[in-house]
Amino acid sequence: MTTDETERGPTRHYVVDETDLDDGDRMLVEIEGREIGVFKVDGDLYALANHCVHMGGPVCEGRLMGYFTADDDGDLRYERDGEILACPWHGWEFDVETGEHIAGSKYRLPTYDVIVEDGEVYVLA
């Protein structure tokens, strides 16, 4: 990468028209030799590298789900439905918004900014 590229920052890459993505949808795109998953969750758009930090699995092809937590009385409650991504190879789970492993921030998937302009979705990479 040259100094000019560093100073310019990331490049916008067209992905899809926003109307073509419903909540819970995802699509995989290749940008500059990297496979990236773009997700629409509760109306928000997120982009993550499709390369699990555990063993390189296709994490963005995994299941979107939530998780159980216990309240003060010890009762279980299901939360964050559709916001947690589980790698299909070994089940490592990541927050779609931040890319962080849900068991701790030591492991994290690379994330990319997503912008919408005139109804078109772009990933900055």
Side-chain angles (χ1 to χ4, degrees):
M1 183 178 314
T2 67
T3 303
D4 289 342
E5 288 173 323
T6 303
E7 290 173 5
R8 275 196 316 250
T11 301
R12 273 183 353 161
H13 300 273
Y14 172 78
V15 176
V16 67
D17 287 342
E18 186 177 24
T19 56
D20 291 336
L21 285 177
D22 295 324
D23 270 336
D25 282 353
R26 81 183 82 193
M27 67 180 313
L28 297 175
V29 295
E30 187 172 319
I31 297 175
E32 296 181 358
R34 292 173 279 185
E35 194 165 82
I36 296 173
V38 179
F39 297 84
K40 188 169 189 179
V41 177
D42 291 330
D44 295 318
L45 295 163
Y46 305 101
L48 303 161
N50 189 26
H51 184 87
C52 185
V53 295
H54 175 229
M55 292 192 71
V59 65
C60 293
E61 296 177 23
R63 197 169 39 124
L64 281 173
M65 57 191 188
Y67 59 80
F68 285 98
T69 60
D71 61 21
D72 293 337
D73 297 327
D75 294 328
L76 290 179
R77 201 174 55 228
Y78 190 69
E79 296 182 350
R80 303 195 59 201
D81 189 28
E83 297 178 24
I84 306 301
L85 178 63
C87 182
W89 281 11
H90 300 106
W92 279 41
E93 299 172 343
F94 300 90
D95 183 308
V96 170
E97 181 178 354
T98 65
E100 287 185 2
H101 188 268
I102 64 165
S105 60
K106 180 179 176 182
Y107 299 105
R108 186 176 173 278
L109 298 174
T111 60
Y112 302 89
D113 290 330
V114 180
I115 60 172
V116 178
E117 289 183 1
D118 299 322
E120 296 179 333
V121 176
Y122 296 89
V123 170
L124 302 179

